[in-house]
Amino acid sequence: MPKLEPAENEAPQLTSVSVSKIEDGDVAETCKMLQACASDGGFYLSLSSDADANRHGVSGRHPLLALADHVFGTAKELFSMPLEDKMHWEMDLWGELQIGGYKPVGKHSGVRRGGQDGFENFLVPTNALLDMHPNPNPYHPDWPTPLKDNLDQVTEFGTLCSDLAVRLLVAMSKAIDPPPATPYQLCHRPGKPSTTSLAMLHYLPRTSLVESHQVGHMAHTDVGSLTLLFTSTPGLEVYRPSSEEWVPVIPREGTIFINVGDSLRFISGGRFNSCLHRVVPLAGKSLERYSLAFFCRPELTAISEDTEGRQWTGEEWHRAKYKVFRATNHEQEKSSLLTGRKGFLGELMG
Ligand SMILES: O=C(O)CCC(=O)C(=O)O
Ligand SMILES: [Fe+2]
């Protein structure tokens, strides 16, 4: 008998850990995080706690959350621009690494077989924000107005996300037994060129503008090392390998979701699992969804080995993976690049 989709209130819980406990060196909390990386490949990270109230002032609200609110505002302004204006920044015009620019709805496969995706996104390469050289992508000084007007906050948000990702990598490297030959953070040195990027995503409500075959976000594992995901709207699901079921990620106040990508799976010698996830359509037709995803990715020249012993630089893996996002379902099924499993697309049934 097919497994029932779990109702929200009986969802098998994904692990939740507190950032302040991890940063205070709490061994049990850090082990919980490592276990989640090895099993589901993802976990909730709570940024708010009593300890944070002391650290960050009376409100106890982590500065990253306040900045995220601001960047959501920027994203909403940006996506409300006319399509023809947004297309000036179409990601293919921007640069061949596809770590910057605008992706219109329907460019990639979607969550239903044979269909297309149901979201638009705008990617901001953090290299360009911090104006690094050499830069893998041409710097595009002429940002869309909403981004230009809020560049300081967006830059600060990217910097804080990057700091947090690196602190998590440090905690992981310290706690894992046996310790890695190269601590994970040394492949993610801030200031070194990488494909690290910040994505603003907008899942459109199902109106006449969005065809019925343009739905959600296909099942995939992320190309990089750690993804920091911010959203207040459900829709994201994680595939739990141990029970072969999709588990919903339910947004919680003061909490973000972290997932392990392919690069960290490789760097960890396969001890971590890359989180297989997808975004399914919302129940209400008129609902729309915004999310922010900070993709912490290894340095362009960092070398890691996949589970079949093949070596990749950060850049090579990135290029191989992006090709498959645009392939047909038939092509995608032939390799394990997209979902980590050959012949498994994890599409939404029914
Ligand atoms: O929007 C989301 O919740 C997930 C986005 C995502 O998985 C991605 O862009 O890689
Ligand atoms: Fe993803």
Side-chain angles (χ1 to χ4, degrees):
M1 205 171 82
K3 287 200 172 107
L4 295 175
E5 297 278 347
E8 271 199 17
N9 57 3
E10 58 188 51
Q13 293 289 303
L14 291 156
T15 301
S16 179
V17 296
S18 142
V19 75
S20 52
K21 285 191 187 170
I22 294 207
E23 290 184 340
D24 289 345
D26 183 316
V27 176
E29 198 75 352
T30 311
C31 283
K32 226 165 104 183
M33 172 173 73
L34 292 179
Q35 270 159 13
C37 291
S39 53
D40 297 326
F43 54 90
Y44 294 103
L45 184 70
S46 163
L47 300 180
S48 308
S49 69
D50 292 344
D52 288 330
N54 298 328
R55 273 176 218 208
H56 306 303
V58 209
S59 78
R61 196 162 159 75
H62 197 286
L64 200 48
L65 296 172
L67 274 168
D69 289 347
H70 191 98
V71 179
F72 272 117
T74 305
K76 284 180 189 168
E77 250 186 83
L78 194 149
F79 290 125
S80 66
M81 286 166 41
L83 181 61
E84 70 215 62
D85 291 354
K86 291 183 279 197
M87 290 301 275
H88 287 309
W89 286 271
E90 216 278 345
M91 64 194 301
D92 289 347
L93 302 171
W94 184 285
E96 54 161 15
L97 270 183
Q98 298 171 356
I99 55 170
Y102 176 69
K103 183 199 79 65
V105 175
K107 189 153 182 125
H108 295 164
S109 311
V111 75
R112 286 195 201 285
R113 179 168 284 267
Q116 299 162 336
D117 70 78
F119 68 96
E120 51 180 352
N121 73 1
F122 197 98
L123 283 157
V124 183
T126 54
N127 282 352
L129 275 185
L130 299 173
D131 202 15
M132 285 176 197
H133 299 286
N135 196 325
N137 239 19
Y139 176 50
H140 205 302
D142 185 23
W143 301 98
T145 306
L147 207 47
K148 213 173 350 190
D149 290 348
N150 296 281
L151 213 49
D152 286 349
Q153 291 89 342
V154 176
T155 306
E156 177 69 3
F157 180 65
T159 304
L160 289 189
C161 284
S162 167
D163 291 349
L164 174 58
V166 170
R167 289 202 307 273
L168 292 176
L169 291 170
V170 169
M172 290 170 181
S173 304
K174 264 197 204 158
I176 199 150
D177 185 28
T182 307
Y184 306 147
Q185 68 275 14
L186 295 187
C187 312
H188 303 83
R189 290 166 299 173
K192 297 289 177 192
S194 73
T195 51
T196 293
S197 182
L198 167 68
M200 308 177 204
L201 299 100
H202 176 213
Y203 296 78
L204 276 75
R206 278 171 289 158
T207 62
S208 55
L209 279 178
V210 185
E211 307 296 336
S212 57
H213 61 278
Q214 295 180 317
V215 191
H217 198 324
M218 73 181 119
H220 65 284
T221 54
D222 284 349
V223 57
S225 296
L226 287 177
T227 302
L228 279 49
L229 203 276
F230 300 73
T231 188
S232 55
T233 316
L236 179 63
E237 295 184 338
V238 165
Y239 188 74
R240 171 167 282 167
S242 57
S243 54
E244 300 184 351
E245 64 193 331
W246 290 97
V247 183
V249 175
I250 300 159
R252 303 172 176 180
E253 180 54 36
T255 296
I256 62 176
F257 193 73
I258 308 285
N259 72 52
V260 171
D262 302 329
S263 301
L264 189 55
R265 176 163 70 102
F266 299 163
I267 292 167
S268 71
R271 283 193 273 179
F272 292 169
N273 173 37
S274 33
C275 178
L276 179 58
H277 55 285
R278 66 182 187 182
V279 179
V280 297
L282 299 169
K285 271 190 162 198
S286 59
L287 284 176
E288 56 189 335
R289 179 174 188 272
Y290 290 89
S291 61
L292 302 175
F294 180 81
F295 299 116
C296 168
R297 293 169 175 158
E299 294 169 30
L300 289 184
T301 52
I303 293 182
S304 59
E305 201 168 279
D306 69 15
T307 35
E308 276 131 41
R310 182 170 166 188
Q311 293 205 329
W312 300 84
T313 63
E315 180 169 357
E316 283 164 353
W317 180 254
H318 183 90
R319 286 181 192 275
K321 186 92 179 184
Y322 260 72
K323 229 185 242 167
V324 88
F325 283 148
R326 292 188 185 175
T328 60
N329 287 160
H330 183 62
E331 285 298 318
Q332 288 167 340
E333 266 172 336
K334 287 201 284 197
S335 85
S336 58
L337 266 162
L338 182 64
T339 65
R341 297 146 181 84
K342 255 188 205 169
F344 180 79
L345 286 184
E347 69 269 38
L348 186 66
M349 300 296 182

